[in-house]
Amino acid sequence: MERRSLLRAAVLGGTSAALGGTLWRGAAYAAPAQPGTGPYGPLGSPDTNGIRLPNGFTSRVIARSGQRVGSTSYTWHNAPDGGACYADGTGWIYVSNSEITPSGGASAVRFSSTGAITAAYRILSGTRQNCAGGKTPWNTWLSCEEVSLGYVYETDPWGTNAGVQRAAMGRFKHEAAAADPVRKVIYLTEDESNGRFYRFVPTTWGNLSSGKLQVMVAGSATSGSFTWADVPDPDGSPTATRSQVSGSKSFNGGEGCHYANDTVWFTTKGDNRVWQLNLLTNTYELAYDDSLVNGTAPLTGVDNITGASSGDLFVAEDGGNMEICVITPDDVVASFLRVDGQSGSEITGPAFSPDGTRLYFSSQRGTTGSSSGGITYEVTGPFRS
């Protein structure tokens, strides 16, 4: 799909507003069809799992922290966070991080072609505060430690091979990762109030054991051109990686990251923004900024982000009113789902099954507000293709 160079939001809910910008499809802005609905229509009443969904969608609980997954003997981890899906024959696998210290790590659930749970198991252990991460084109999971001088671990979703520490990808407060198979790099976010946006250039694509860590260099404006500069000491000690390159651009709390079609998006929670980098022109823009719509936007507390084959972006909230919101190629921002009764939690790990018909995500602390109360869900329905 052809993508626009700037994504700005016509917000549905509260006061609707078209903010200008060039569209992915090059069309003019259309008036919102019905305020408050978005492409999937309004949210319904809470279902038996406390989830408000559009008409035609259903939810089920996949796993709960501290409890066995389905009929397996495996106990699901605490504080489920970033996740991704992998094709597995006629079925698939959902991988999920555990954002706790100590232990951390990641687990996986395997599904049959019908969606039945067939197995659950650990794929990474002995790490710290594994927050988000990213899927590689060679079907591994990059699990990122959100701690000072944290590492990226490359893990096997099938649980056959042990996780491998990838020190060359830098030591900092890692959040998310997104692979770019065109430029053969991995983009990385940093969860610091003055964090940076990085890319890792492997010596050999498909092998993350060596390469160059680079940081984005740009001005202080919210749009413009950018370049990349090598980080002299990826180990980040004694000088933090974010402080090593003069002119590197500061971002307020880097979170989720998603790549598609020569574009990379990432979120910053400190200022509730989604940023967009056009990798063909080496320019960056604000893709979403709730301050531009006077606080009327449904999307607050931006966190993990993923995309659908339709070109829709799905952004999870850390805070706000526990929603996953959709940003469409027609410049609409609207609520897709809402989790009721879990205000002490956050939405994490959104990821689509390989066929795009199921969306997985977690409520990290569930109804208890504790890391031991995490709940992982599946939503099925007529997603746009």
Side-chain angles (χ1 to χ4, degrees):
M1 173 181 288
E2 180 183 356
R3 291 184 180 271
R4 58 192 168 190
S5 61
L6 173 62
L7 172 62
R8 295 277 177 89
V11 177
L12 296 186
T15 302
S16 300
L19 303 181
T22 303
L23 297 187
W24 291 346
R25 298 191 177 104
Y29 277 98
Q34 181 182 348
T37 61
Y40 290 103
L43 302 184
S45 300
D47 64 12
T48 57
N49 297 316
I51 300 178
R52 296 177 182 265
L53 293 163
N55 185 48
F57 288 86
T58 59
S59 75
R60 68 166 170 160
V61 172
I62 296 302
R64 295 180 183 270
S65 296
Q67 298 184 23
R68 292 183 178 182
V69 180
S71 60
T72 74
S73 61
Y74 185 73
T75 300
W76 198 234
H77 56 262
N78 287 349
D81 207 287
C85 281
Y86 299 80
D88 179 43
T90 58
W92 60 93
I93 294 169
Y94 177 67
V95 165
S96 171
N97 278 345
S98 176
E99 194 186 11
I100 60 172
T101 297
S103 297
S107 303
V109 181
R110 180 176 288 143
F111 300 88
S112 72
S113 59
T114 63
I117 295 172
T118 61
Y121 46 91
R122 172 71 57 160
I123 64 170
L124 180 66
S125 299
T127 56
R128 305 166 295 163
Q129 207 79 11
N130 296 76
C131 196
K135 180 181 179 179
T136 69
W138 49 94
N139 286 324
T140 58
W141 169 244
L142 302 180
S143 183
C144 298
E145 288 185 316
E146 189 195 353
V147 295
S148 178
L149 300 180
Y151 287 102
V152 174
Y153 288 83
E154 187 170 14
T155 67
D156 175 13
W158 285 262
T160 302
N161 301 308
V164 179
Q165 187 183 92
R166 296 303 190 191
M169 299 183 76
R171 297 192 66 186
F172 52 87
K173 201 172 182 181
H174 283 278
E175 185 68 34
D180 176 350
V182 177
R183 279 144 289 271
K184 298 182 178 179
V185 301
I186 307 289
Y187 302 103
L188 301 160
T189 56
E190 181 178 26
D191 192 358
E192 298 274 9
S193 60
N194 61 341
R196 300 302 194 260
F197 189 69
Y198 304 88
R199 73 175 188 179
F200 179 67
V201 187
T203 303
T204 303
W205 184 236
N207 183 344
L208 303 179
S209 62
S210 65
K212 295 185 297 184
L213 180 68
Q214 298 182 325
V215 66
M216 179 179 167
V217 175
S220 59
T222 55
S223 64
S225 60
F226 67 89
T227 58
W228 299 100
D230 292 350
V231 176
D233 180 17
D235 286 342
S237 180
T239 302
T241 54
R242 62 185 180 278
S243 302
Q244 292 182 26
V245 175
S246 176
S248 61
K249 185 169 179 60
S250 176
F251 293 97
N252 190 352
E255 290 287 340
C257 191
H258 174 68
Y259 168 87
N261 300 325
D262 298 310
T263 306
V264 62
W265 291 267
F266 63 96
T267 62
T268 50
K269 66 182 180 183
D271 47 19
N272 206 48
R273 288 170 167 173
V274 182
W275 299 82
Q276 176 180 313
L277 274 60
N278 184 324
L279 301 168
L280 294 178
T281 62
N282 286 333
T283 57
Y284 70 96
E285 312 257 12
L286 269 181
Y288 172 82
D289 183 358
D290 70 348
S291 69
L292 296 178
V293 288
N294 301 316
T296 61
L299 175 58
T300 57
V302 299
D303 202 295
N304 290 173
I305 184 172
T306 193
S309 59
S310 61
D312 294 334
L313 299 174
F314 287 76
V315 186
E317 290 186 340
D318 178 356
N321 53 356
M322 286 287 289
E323 291 185 339
I324 293 179
C325 291
V326 60
I327 303 177
T328 78
D330 297 320
D331 284 329
V332 169
V333 178
S335 304
F336 170 71
L337 66 79
R338 183 184 305 154
V339 180
D340 278 4
Q342 300 187 32
S343 59
S345 186
E346 63 185 271
I347 301 291
T348 59
F352 282 95
S353 60
D355 66 0
T357 64
R358 302 168 192 249
L359 175 65
Y360 295 91
F361 69 94
S362 295
S363 170
Q364 189 181 78
R365 296 178 293 279
T367 59
T368 68
S370 166
S371 63
S372 61
I375 310 171
T376 299
Y377 299 96
E378 174 193 85
V379 167
T380 304
F383 288 100
R384 306 197 312 170
S385 60

